[in-house]
Amino acid sequence: MKNVLVTGGSGKAGRAVCRDLVAHGYDVLNVDVQPSADPVCPFYKVDLADLGQVMDAMQWTGGKDHPFRKFRSPDAVVHFAAVPAPDLVPEEVAFRNNVTSTYNVFDAAIRAGVKRVVWASSETTLGLPLSPQNPPAYAPIDEDHPMRPESAYALSKDLGEEMARQMQRWNPETSFIGLRLSNVMEPKDYARFAGWQDDPHVREWNLWGYIDARDCAQAVRKALEVDFSGADHFIIANADTVMNADSAELMRRIFPDVPLRKSLSGTETLLSIDKARRVLGYEPEHSWRPGK
């Protein structure tokens, strides 16, 4: 696969994805409603709520004099455009935007003959925000954990996973890989982590998880390149938590009644990435901890 269309390439995770793919030799088109603050590839302004515009983007050529004029149509699509979190806009707006845009991107990709779609699902589908009053069923949370969307945003991602399963069933030659991303962080965000150490309740809502944007980008690239068929989803988090306290101690203090399904070592993640490691070959390379 050479040509990759990335929706939402101007967002925090999308910028990292575009940067990583370009660095690894891909021709990338950023499809978004506004240009990227870190422009590393061509930009095409598209309203993803309009299926006609999305289908047009799948045939983007850049004009006869554009250096990327041979892009023509994508070999793969990375769908990251969305209202990116709960509570940013009214619930109905988040739901309508995310469900409609996801359907349009999936449908247009299939119509354009795209065989691989990698897209951003979310950790929120697993019951976030977690708390002692709304604990996880077990920890570390893995892909078998019950789906418990608690917001319109999370529900939109849950339904996106179902759309991927059914549209892949209708089109067996395609493959859809959903990445249940943890809270995306750039290196500049790590200065905030020190302020969370004295109160573990501050970040209990996602079991103290995060994903470095650069490792998010790595997961996308691995998902594009892996030998895979069907439709499936993977938790994508970093290998550690945002805390200095050991993970087992955090669970004893905040979620004492939640069963642990494995022995925990140090600050290892409570959002299991075992499946992503096994199937995608994903392995986090970055951490907020100095020297790592």
Side-chain angles (χ1 to χ4, degrees):
M1 292 179 288
K2 179 182 179 184
N3 298 336
V4 181
L5 184 151
V6 178
T7 75
S10 299
K12 179 186 282 190
R15 291 193 303 272
V17 169
C18 290
R19 190 183 311 117
D20 181 83
L21 290 177
V22 169
H24 284 84
Y26 288 87
D27 289 338
V28 180
L29 174 65
N30 172 22
V31 171
D32 209 321
V33 293
Q34 60 185 8
S36 174
D38 179 21
V40 296
C41 61
F43 163 73
Y44 197 40
K45 184 176 181 178
V46 172
D47 178 359
L48 297 180
D50 184 327
L51 179 59
Q53 292 189 39
V54 183
M55 292 181 67
D56 179 83
M58 296 290 169
Q59 299 297 324
W60 181 88
T61 62
K64 64 182 181 64
D65 296 322
H66 196 285
F68 286 83
R69 63 187 178 276
K70 294 182 180 179
F71 190 97
R72 185 60 63 183
S73 61
D75 301 309
V77 168
V78 175
H79 176 45
F80 268 44
V83 174
D87 303 322
L88 297 178
V89 297
E91 292 268 273
E92 180 272 336
V93 175
F95 182 85
R96 174 163 43 87
N97 178 86
N98 290 0
V99 171
T100 301
S101 61
T102 297
Y103 176 85
N104 286 348
V105 171
F106 288 1
D107 183 59
I110 290 169
R111 291 172 186 261
V114 171
K115 303 304 183 187
R116 174 65 53 88
V117 176
V118 177
W119 68 285
S121 186
S122 170
E123 64 182 359
T124 61
T125 58
L126 301 169
L128 277 58
L130 301 170
S131 69
Q133 294 73 42
N134 181 41
Y138 56 83
I141 291 177
D142 60 17
E143 288 80 3
D144 293 329
H145 191 275
M147 297 285 276
R148 299 191 319 209
E150 301 287 353
S151 65
Y153 168 81
L155 183 58
S156 75
K157 296 297 187 177
D158 188 343
L159 296 177
E161 292 191 6
E162 185 62 22
M163 275 194 279
R165 282 189 286 270
Q166 299 305 330
M167 294 175 86
Q168 192 280 328
R169 181 175 64 85
W170 302 341
N171 301 275
E173 72 281 4
T174 65
S175 56
F176 287 75
I177 297 178
L179 305 179
R180 292 179 178 173
L181 301 177
S182 190
N183 190 192
V184 179
M185 299 288 182
E186 294 177 313
K188 66 182 180 182
D189 296 317
Y190 293 152
R192 296 187 284 135
F193 285 31
W196 301 336
Q197 302 306 316
D198 293 336
D199 184 2
H201 288 289
V202 173
R203 298 288 299 186
E204 69 189 13
W205 58 272
N206 76 338
L207 294 189
W208 308 280
Y210 76 107
I211 175 67
D212 187 292
R214 295 164 294 182
D215 282 320
C216 173
Q218 177 216 150
V220 169
R221 178 166 39 84
K222 294 290 180 65
L224 289 172
E225 296 172 350
V226 69
D227 183 6
F228 174 87
S229 60
D232 210 346
H233 44 268
F234 301 85
I235 293 172
I236 302 297
N238 269 72
D240 59 346
T241 71
V242 302
M243 303 295 285
N244 285 321
D246 285 352
S247 298
E249 176 59 23
L250 289 169
M251 292 300 297
R252 281 193 294 269
R253 290 177 60 186
I254 309 302
F255 297 105
D257 298 324
V258 171
L260 297 180
R261 290 197 163 183
K262 60 175 284 189
S263 297
L264 299 171
S265 175
T267 60
E268 74 170 283
T269 181
L270 290 157
L271 302 172
S272 175
I273 55 175
D274 290 348
K275 182 178 176 182
R277 282 169 160 154
R278 183 177 68 254
V279 177
L280 303 181
Y282 166 71
E283 187 60 48
E285 298 174 352
H286 303 280
S287 172
W288 69 278
R289 302 173 198 281
K292 294 187 178 181

